[in-house]
Amino acid sequence: MTSAPLNPSAAPGRRTVMAAAGAAGLAAALTACGSSDDNSGSTTTGAGSTNQNSNGTGGSTGTSTAAAGGTALAKTSDIPEGGGTIYKDQAVVVTQPTSGTYKAFSTKCPHAGCAVSSVANGEIVCPCHGSKFAIADGSVKHGPATTGLTAANITVAGDQISLA
């Protein structure tokens, strides 16, 4: 004959265990998808080498207003053909897929919200999970992202590129 113990041990309930596991998973995901506090811009050529200007803005002209009415980002000569420049402060990447054609996209990866970190070999690269996007249209070239980068509005007036 068996009987229940006089001092039952208090084990955590199922809800407590599930909540703790969920909180731990969320913390891990947020840590993995966090971005750097470094707000400097960087220029990456089509070959994949990174050059940063001495003022730390990667060719950015700051927050001055351009003649077109937007925030001045760069001169057209600052964007390498077949490459691009990431402007972390403005959360935008500007590319030049072909000579004289300029495109802009949000730096926020649609997969998990990480900021893209480089432009190399005709692709915009997210460091968190390896997604890669085409510099010509922001479309997915390599997942896990299933949708492309969101287009950003820019204007090109003369040799000045501005965020519209």
Side-chain angles (χ1 to χ4, degrees):
M1 173 169 173
T2 60
S3 62
L6 296 175
N7 295 324
S9 63
R14 182 175 178 222
R15 287 185 183 172
T16 303
V17 171
M18 295 303 288
L26 179 61
L30 291 175
T31 301
C33 293
S35 62
S36 169
D37 288 333
D38 177 19
N39 287 329
S40 63
S42 62
T43 302
T44 306
T45 65
S49 62
T50 301
N51 300 317
Q52 191 157 344
N53 292 351
S54 61
N55 64 3
T57 59
S60 172
T61 56
T63 57
S64 63
T65 303
T71 301
L73 287 175
K75 301 234 179 259
T76 55
S77 59
D78 293 338
I79 312 300
E81 186 177 342
T85 303
I86 295 172
Y87 296 94
K88 291 181 182 180
D89 289 343
Q90 292 82 9
V92 67
V93 55
V94 179
T95 64
Q96 184 180 188
T98 59
S99 181
T101 302
Y102 300 92
K103 303 287 183 167
F105 309 97
S106 167
T107 58
K108 185 177 180 179
C109 178
H111 171 246
C114 298
V116 298
S117 64
S118 63
V119 181
N121 303 317
E123 299 174 328
I124 302 165
V125 182
C126 179
C128 293
H129 302 108
S131 291
K132 295 179 182 179
F133 307 90
I135 64 171
D137 60 6
S139 64
V140 177
K141 293 186 81 175
H142 182 272
T146 58
T147 59
L149 296 173
T150 302
N153 292 322
I154 58 170
T155 58
V156 180
D159 68 345
Q160 184 68 50
I161 300 173
S162 301
L163 194 56

